[in-house]
Amino acid sequence: MTVLDDNIAKLNGYLQRFRDTGILNRIAGADVPGAAGVFENITPVDRSVICEVAHGDATDIDAAARAAHAAFTDWRDMPALERKKILIRVAEGIEARAEEIALCECWDTGQTLKFMSKAALRGAENFRYFADQVVRARDGQHLKSPTLMNVTTRVPIGPVGVITPWNTPFMLSTWKIAPALAAGCTVVHKPAEASPLTARLLVEIAEEAGLPPGVLNTVNGFGEGAGKALCEHPLIKAIAFVGESRTGSLIVKQGADTLKRNHLELGGKNPVIVFEDADLDRALDAVIFMIYSINGERCTSSSRLLVQDSIREEFEDKLIARVNSIKVGHPLDPSTEIGPLVTEEHFKKVTSYFDIATEDGATVAAGGKTVGDEGYFVRPTLFTNASNQMRIAQEEIFGPVLTSIPFKTEEEALQIANDIPYGLTGYLWTNDLTRALRFTDRLEAGMIWVNSENVRHLPTPFGGVKASGIGRDGGDWSFEFYMEQKHVGFATGQHKITRLGAG
Ligand code: NAD
């Protein structure tokens, strides 16, 4: 038996109960069928049906929002250390079921085990990190003025909605839900319709860890139904959203009548800029990793390579050789580097750019082909001879597709890097320190790495500028979103109060 056979056998064991009963919504600690019936969950590996999923709509969202509302006061008032203990038990529960989470995630999304084997552990890390912050989450400042002792405190905003996408869904869900729970908020989670499996595992693990019923509720369904209803619900005080930029705009509109607070983590078309003075071997490794790992379905991927003219030919030659050697295959084979794209719709979108590239006059230097006809597999693709005005340079393709654009000078590189609606991340490769300082100062992005691929550190702020989002996660920034600042002034003496109507 190969490792792949073994993984498939284990996966089938884990999936059996979903095949038997489908995935139900979880509201107030109980399994609830979807008010709109069911929809089918398909694997991108061979297009077979994984299971049926509860199709939730406004009715289910209303029930979940009421459950989150009812559970809020007790959860908010639970002593911080008790809440911390529960969140740590959630982290332990995730670790205990890491294999199940990883295998289900791969089958559901097409992500490879090579990258998803760590997804559960990163999810657990999110819970551990924010569990450690629980005790100080409510702390504020004491600011003395001449007549008052001014105290600020923070209180959880209330029940919140979390809407997540299908790329690395488990990690992203924990990234939102862990700080919300740590802050003392209750949650209604609407996972992406294309990847419901691990959201179900998360709510089960959380409840087994002692999370009271109603503190985390999961409603499956589609954006225009359940998602929209969540944004519009008056009992939901804020929406933490991760997804496409145009959906982010809808989230804001839908929440306008109820004055929702929104946190938006949106799309990207991120530049990696390679100067001739860089460590080119390390730059090459990082360029490849940041677009071809996680199937290129990664908001922070460096999908635009800006490479200096003087080294372009040599750099691209090496790039082509490496891209052509990337292994596409079954996501549960541990040696596979790229698995299938998540859905038929997404597969069609990504492959449509193969023609768009040639129509626009770029060269398909590697890939540009689909693989087999069982699932949604594509060869990792590199476009060269591109200009920044082409669609392949301006639009988020969200697949293993890199567009290489040459530049001559630092000024030109900066102009190209910033000439884009997005501003999530940027990656700079140079050994000139003053250039790095200058460039990072003027590069329009929420997160920039110099001589490094994206290395996430939980206490640092995560988020984008321009069409890539509004707001920041990470460290205390997460609590800024899930909590309200409250000011209380205590008089320290008999200061003069202006008397009206006293003659
Ligand atoms: P999407 O916007 O299509 O869907 C995301 C979620 O929003 C899904 O759960 C969907 O059902 C829901 N949704 C859709 N329409 C809605 C509506 N009108 N109201 C409420 N909810 C609605 O995104 P996707 O295709 O699932 O994910 C890929 C996108 O996510 C990419 O653009 C990627 O860059 C982005 N992303 C961003 C980050 C980040 O941190 N900036 C991280 C991961 C993914």
Side-chain angles (χ1 to χ4, degrees):
M1 203 180 203
T2 65
V3 181
L4 173 59
D5 293 336
D6 191 35
N7 285 338
I8 292 175
K10 283 182 192 155
L11 172 78
N12 281 324
Y14 291 130
L15 288 182
Q16 195 51 51
R17 68 192 185 104
F18 292 128
R19 291 185 178 128
D20 292 342
T21 62
I23 295 180
L24 292 161
N25 292 333
R26 190 79 183 165
I27 301 174
D31 283 335
V32 184
V38 292
F39 64 92
E40 284 185 338
N41 184 24
I42 311 271
T43 175
V45 182
D46 61 8
R47 307 178 202 219
S48 62
V49 176
I50 302 174
C51 63
E52 289 185 333
V53 185
H55 185 170
D57 65 11
T59 314
D60 308 72
I61 289 291
D62 184 50
R66 285 173 192 279
H69 179 69
F72 175 62
T73 316
D74 283 353
W75 181 246
R76 177 194 64 192
D77 296 340
M78 179 183 279
L81 281 175
E82 239 177 273
R83 197 153 64 226
K84 173 177 174 171
K85 274 188 203 151
I86 295 177
L87 297 183
I88 291 198
R89 281 203 298 271
V90 177
E92 289 165 353
I94 291 173
E95 283 155 359
R97 288 171 75 175
E99 179 189 77
E100 179 184 4
I101 292 166
L103 293 176
C104 288
E105 189 92 313
C106 292
W107 194 244
D108 212 4
T109 62
Q111 294 289 355
T112 61
L113 200 55
K114 184 177 179 66
F115 297 111
M116 286 309 109
S117 61
K118 296 276 179 335
L121 301 182
R122 285 192 62 194
E125 209 181 301
N126 288 336
F127 271 91
R128 274 188 203 287
Y129 175 79
F130 285 108
D132 283 340
Q133 312 296 314
V134 167
V135 176
R136 63 169 171 272
R138 295 193 63 161
D139 277 359
Q141 291 179 305
H142 285 206
L143 302 164
K144 200 171 175 328
S145 65
T147 57
L148 294 170
M149 168 61 78
N150 296 296
V151 175
T152 63
T153 179
R154 282 196 301 207
V155 291
I157 191 169
V160 298
V162 172
I163 303 178
T164 46
W166 45 256
N167 67 313
T168 62
F170 187 78
M171 206 287 293
L172 284 170
S173 303
T174 58
W175 173 235
K176 297 284 159 187
I177 292 170
L181 297 178
C185 296
T186 51
V187 174
V188 177
H189 179 204
K190 209 299 279 171
E193 52 273 31
S195 58
L197 284 180
T198 53
R200 170 67 197 195
L201 298 182
L202 179 62
V203 69
E204 282 175 7
I205 291 168
E207 287 182 8
E208 278 159 19
L211 202 73
V215 172
L216 172 61
N217 307 275
T218 309
V219 176
N220 293 285
F222 294 82
E224 59 276 20
K228 178 167 180 282
L230 187 56
C231 298
E232 290 173 346
H233 204 287
L235 292 176
I236 297 295
K237 300 301 170 202
I239 297 285
F241 172 77
V242 186
E244 283 191 31
S245 300
R246 63 170 180 270
T247 319
S249 157
L250 287 175
I251 299 289
V252 176
K253 288 186 191 118
Q254 292 163 177
D257 284 348
T258 50
L259 294 174
K260 282 285 182 302
R261 178 185 292 184
N262 295 302
H263 182 184
L264 307 175
E265 285 184 13
L266 309 175
K269 188 77 181 179
N270 310 298
V272 51
I273 304 114
V274 182
F275 284 96
E276 61 189 0
D277 63 34
D279 179 334
L280 296 178
D281 290 335
R282 284 180 64 76
L284 184 69
D285 286 343
V287 164
I288 294 169
F289 176 76
M290 279 312 302
I291 184 65
Y292 300 113
S293 61
I294 314 190
N295 293 351
E297 295 166 329
R298 179 182 198 156
C299 57
T300 52
S301 72
S302 52
S303 45
R304 283 186 302 153
L305 166 64
L306 277 49
V307 56
Q308 198 155 20
D309 245 356
S310 48
I311 54 159
R312 184 185 62 82
E313 210 176 313
E314 192 189 338
F315 197 82
E316 284 180 349
D317 283 349
K318 287 184 181 163
L319 189 55
I320 291 166
R322 288 274 292 276
V323 174
N324 282 331
S325 306
I326 290 176
K327 188 174 169 203
V328 178
H330 196 293
L332 297 186
D333 178 340
S335 66
T336 295
E337 293 172 313
I338 293 187
L341 299 174
V342 66
T343 57
E344 182 174 9
E345 185 190 358
H346 190 56
F347 173 77
K348 282 184 178 159
K349 174 186 158 179
V350 171
T351 52
S352 73
Y353 284 94
F354 300 164
D355 288 339
I356 291 170
T358 40
E359 280 158 21
D360 281 2
T363 305
V364 182
K369 293 185 187 79
T370 59
V371 180
D373 50 14
E374 255 200 10
Y376 306 127
F377 294 87
V378 297
R379 278 299 312 163
T381 297
L382 172 69
F383 300 137
T384 56
N385 294 316
S387 80
N388 200 47
Q389 301 319 315
M390 294 179 182
R391 286 183 61 190
I392 52 170
Q394 288 290 313
E395 297 174 11
E396 187 187 42
I397 301 174
F398 215 57
V401 181
L402 177 62
T403 300
S404 177
I405 304 162
F407 72 85
K408 284 197 177 64
T409 63
E410 179 183 324
E411 202 49 44
E412 191 192 1
L414 185 72
Q415 186 275 326
I416 297 173
N418 286 342
D419 183 15
I420 194 90
Y422 297 105
L424 190 58
T425 62
Y427 305 87
L428 182 61
W429 287 87
T430 178
N431 275 321
D432 180 337
L433 176 62
T434 49
R435 169 167 31 220
L437 289 168
R438 250 189 335 264
F439 206 94
T440 51
D441 190 48
R442 294 166 69 197
L443 186 59
E444 293 167 0
M447 298 168 280
I448 302 172
W449 281 267
V450 179
N451 296 333
S452 173
E453 82 286 32
N454 174 338
V455 181
R456 183 82 189 99
H457 181 51
L458 291 178
T460 55
F462 185 103
V465 300
K466 296 159 75 176
S468 290
I470 300 174
R472 294 292 179 272
D473 273 321
D476 206 53
W477 285 277
S478 297
F479 291 143
E480 289 285 313
F481 178 71
Y482 293 111
M483 300 180 92
E484 293 279 20
Q485 296 280 343
K486 186 190 278 191
H487 164 77
V488 188
F490 296 90
T492 51
Q494 301 279 312
H495 66 269
K496 184 173 181 296
I497 300 175
T498 303
R499 301 184 76 213
L500 301 182

